[in-house]
Amino acid sequence: MRPIEKIRSVTIRGKRYNFELKKLKDARGMTDHPETKNKTVYIDSRERGKELLATLIDEFIHCAVWEIQNDIVDQISDDMADALWRCGLRFQDEIEAEKE
């Protein structure tokens, strides 16, 4: 089991979100409005590597600052994922899989 599969909730700016991995049709991730009851962050379960990192950053930015336009959030999350990836950030389960 991937460590990310164990996560059930995240707290961003004092608001608790359910956290769910599932296959999504038309998006890599989605986030409910911060004022929604039982709000949830959804991440496509097929995401891996740098794309997963960018998707997590993207959805967490939406949680933190809902008002930012989506195209701006997309650019910020992709740039942050690229920078973090260049710094060597990797998912532990993917590092372990590469060793096998």
Side-chain angles (χ1 to χ4, degrees):
M1 176 182 283
R2 297 165 56 195
I4 195 170
E5 293 172 5
K6 297 176 185 176
I7 298 172
R8 297 291 168 244
S9 66
V10 294
T11 302
I12 309 289
R13 290 192 66 200
K15 294 186 183 283
R16 180 180 219 114
Y17 290 78
N18 297 316
F19 186 88
E20 189 175 328
L21 290 177
K22 66 185 233 174
K23 289 184 180 178
L24 301 175
K25 280 189 172 186
D26 298 323
R28 293 173 19 195
M30 297 185 312
T31 300
D32 291 333
H33 188 281
E35 299 306 321
T36 302
K37 188 174 182 174
N38 298 317
K39 56 194 155 290
T40 303
V41 172
Y42 300 95
I43 303 296
D44 192 306
S45 58
R46 298 166 291 190
E47 291 285 297
R48 298 286 189 275
K50 188 167 58 167
E51 290 75 24
L52 173 58
L53 180 60
T55 300
L56 291 167
I57 293 168
D58 185 286
E59 297 312 320
F60 294 159
I61 290 172
H62 284 301
C63 294
V65 191
W66 182 260
E67 299 78 18
I68 298 177
Q69 293 176 344
N70 197 51
D71 60 333
I72 294 171
V73 173
D74 288 346
Q75 184 178 24
I76 293 168
S77 61
D78 287 344
D79 289 347
M80 290 179 76
D82 285 342
L84 290 167
W85 204 256
R86 288 184 62 213
C87 289
L89 185 69
R90 300 291 187 272
F91 292 96
Q92 187 65 35
D93 60 314
E94 293 178 4
I95 292 171
E96 292 169 4
E98 287 176 4
K99 291 179 183 177
E100 295 175 356

